[in-house]
Amino acid sequence: MPRFSVIVTAQGLAGRLPTALDSVLPQSFTDFELITACDTPDSPAATVADEYAARDPRIARAPGSRAAGMHAATGTYLLFLDATDVLTPGALAAMDARLRDTGDVDVLYLAHEHVPWWVGEPVAERGDDGDPTDVRRPVWATAYRRAFLDDHQLTFSEGHFTDIGWSGLVTLAAGRTAALDTVCVRRHERRPSGSGGRTTPDAQRQLLDQVELVLRRAAEQDLDQDTSRALFDHLFAEVLDTAATSCRRAFFRRAGRLYRRHRPRGHRTKGLRNQLLARGAYATFRALLGAERRTEQARAFATRVARRWRRGRPRGPYRRYLRKPLDENLAVYAAYWGRGYACNPAAIHRKARELAPHIRSVFLVREQDAANMPEGVESVVIGSRRYWEVMARAKYTFNNVNFETAVVKRPGSVHVQTHHGTPLKRMGVDQVEYRAVAAATGSFGRLMERADRWDYSLSSNAHSTEVWSGAYPSAFTHLEYGYPRNDRFYTADPAEVAAIRERLGIPEDRVALLYAPTYRDYPRDVSAQFDLARFCAELGPEFVVLLRAHYFLEGDADLQQAVASGRLIDVTASRDTEDICLASDALITDYSSIMFDYANLDRPIVTYADDWDVYRDTRGVYFDLLAEPPGHVARTQDELIRVFTAGEWADERSAELRDRFRERFCRFDDGRAAERVVRRVLLGQAEEELPPVVPLHERLPVPAAARPAVVSGGGPRSRTPAL
């Protein structure tokens, strides 16, 4: 059997799971097994775990929670980690050495560090710090002898506050314990959500269940008075902390009864909160909490005022507009920091004018892009007096990025964060551990202040929902409606595709390959690493390449000079990304989120991943794209050329990979996403009144203009005629 079983749970934290697993696998001490316990078999975290298990035989999957992982474990010692935890280098070796010195102790307490969710210095805690009866010692920084757990039939219960009950029972049962002062585990703390830490009645009931379980077990043992009193105080410290966030009468009364029934003989009740709990003085306890909360709010207000003075108060006209009432029929839209009429906000804007004509819709735009706004779309230049007026008075706001920090989220206003892609790369606070990216992001505190303004977050698949929850921990509601910008992939028709191709200058007899690389956070000589002119020349006369550079790279000379006569069309300047996708017959990309949108068209996708290792290690990713690609993968330019000249780009294997990719990432995109958003947000309709999502196998995306010679798979592809 292995020396250690490392059990990693990942409920709702798929984005952090790779970091946790990558901290265990390269440990210098190799006598271990790694077990991942994920909430559901088809969750994003389970997908990540499966990717790792396919590559390393030391990894096993267990369904559900810690209890399932514990049941599957075979190691002498068990270590329970969450996806937010990492083992420090050499941790298992240090643990093994300490256990050889101490012998087979039941419990080994480990020194550990808490890392703030923002950029900050870790806070270290020694393995032997604190009272051994403290039931709030972290389970994730403790190693347990499996035979000891089996002998005492100790296991984790389901629900909330299970660590309290577990730690209490372990404390009562443990014989020999030891500590290790080497920091072995580092926990990256999660940001508290906008709920303020309030617990539900059911969670509070479960806390008292755990407390009562430990107290009853303690009563059955002949504990010395000091141990009994210390354990009692630790348990009720947790109870009172919970009561301070949300004290309900039923919870307080039951907690008081437990306090009086199990109070150890000779125990002195210290502290005003404890005394009120012991007396059952609920009204007085609530009054005390109210006074404390008002004091905290006054301090918070003073902090906000000071911060605003440091940053500069809202501009004069904006301050005046903020005093006026919200305009209940005004909606404001913006995309890509005002770069024009584009993406999800534009698609929602179009549908709002159709379904909610009583809502006045205003689009925000930079001054240099104002002339390019579509006819009939009311627009306002960002930074103008009119801009500050509509931002102050709008009931509804939609953006695919964040509004500037100076914008105030008014009570009663509704903000929808539409996003602008399915995340492959790390986002939000998940970037903290990637220093180059974190430095470019700036203050994570500022970032989360902006995220706290979101009321709704739009999602196109379950993967995105989970990532947004972890990357932007706040109190917004997820709208799993699909991306409105992708509606056109199902609502357009062949005549519209032909018209777009004609406008772009694509010859009728050519297969159009859309090449859309993404932005890099590190130096990269694009022209040296991908000779676009050579690529176009060697493809053959039947192909034409549409170059779509990332908008951060506009005007890059190395990209623009690779124009081959008649074989490449530069479409970088076009803001109509959906049009370019519709006009093309296949996509070539590296790690751009365009692949997730394009997969809705059910057309071939080829991944060019020449620097995947650098991108993954520098930028951070949420899953292994090369293990689950949307089509064939090329690691060199020669491989990429062969994929097309040999016809592999449209073969059976390409279709199989695309089918799996679409099943995972195109779940909610069915052509009616914008309608759902408008009906829910602007018209106030209930979820059950919205159009249901059409199953993937029943959808029929618009066909490509030039169909490949090899078409495989069922569903819409088999019903689309070759042109």
Side-chain angles (χ1 to χ4, degrees), residues 411-435:
S413 63
V414 178
H415 177 55
V416 180
Q417 170 56 250
T418 72
H419 302 286
H420 55 275
T422 290
L424 168 63
K425 63 186 179 184
R426 293 291 186 97
M427 302 292 290
V429 298
D430 289 343
Q431 303 171 34
V432 167
E433 59 205 84
Y434 295 87
R435 295 187 177 182

Side-chain angles (χ1 to χ4, degrees), residues 14-15 17-18 41-51 422-424 459-467 480 596 599-600 621-630 656-669 696 699:
L17 183 57
D42 58 348
S43 68
T47 301
V48 173
D50 288 341
E51 293 171 0
T422 290
L424 168 63
S459 179
S460 58
N461 46 63
H463 164 80
S464 294
T465 301
E466 182 159 358
V467 168
E480 293 185 317
F596 302 100
N600 281 283
V621 295
Y622 287 111
F623 67 94
D624 186 350
L625 177 64
L626 272 56
E628 290 188 289
E656 292 171 0
L657 293 170
R658 188 165 68 254
D659 281 343
R660 289 201 289 268
F661 194 83
R662 295 180 74 233
E663 180 65 31
R664 181 178 179 186
F665 295 111
C666 299
R667 187 69 61 86
F668 307 138
D669 287 322
L696 190 64
R699 302 175 200 165

Side-chain angles (χ1 to χ4, degrees), residues 14-16 18-19 336-337 400-401 419-434 436-438 440-441 444 461 463-464 466-472 483 485 516-522 550-553 589-596 612 614-626 661 664-665:
R16 291 296 181 92
T19 303
Y336 299 120
W337 301 275
N400 69 353
V401 291
H419 302 286
H420 55 275
T422 290
L424 168 63
K425 63 186 179 184
R426 293 291 186 97
M427 302 292 290
V429 298
D430 289 343
Q431 303 171 34
V432 167
E433 59 205 84
Y434 295 87
V437 184
T441 300
F444 284 94
N461 46 63
H463 164 80
S464 294
E466 182 159 358
V467 168
W468 302 144
S469 296
Y472 302 102
Y483 276 163
R485 69 184 184 190
T518 194
Y519 174 74
R520 302 299 199 279
D521 296 278
Y522 49 87
H550 192 281
Y551 55 84
F552 281 171
L553 300 176
T589 188
D590 38 30
Y591 325 118
S592 171
S593 65
I594 196 174
M595 73 179 83
F596 302 100
W612 168 251
V614 177
Y615 186 87
R616 177 196 59 205
D617 296 340
T618 303
R619 189 61 176 83
V621 295
Y622 287 111
F623 67 94
D624 186 350
L625 177 64
L626 272 56
F661 194 83
R664 181 178 179 186
F665 295 111

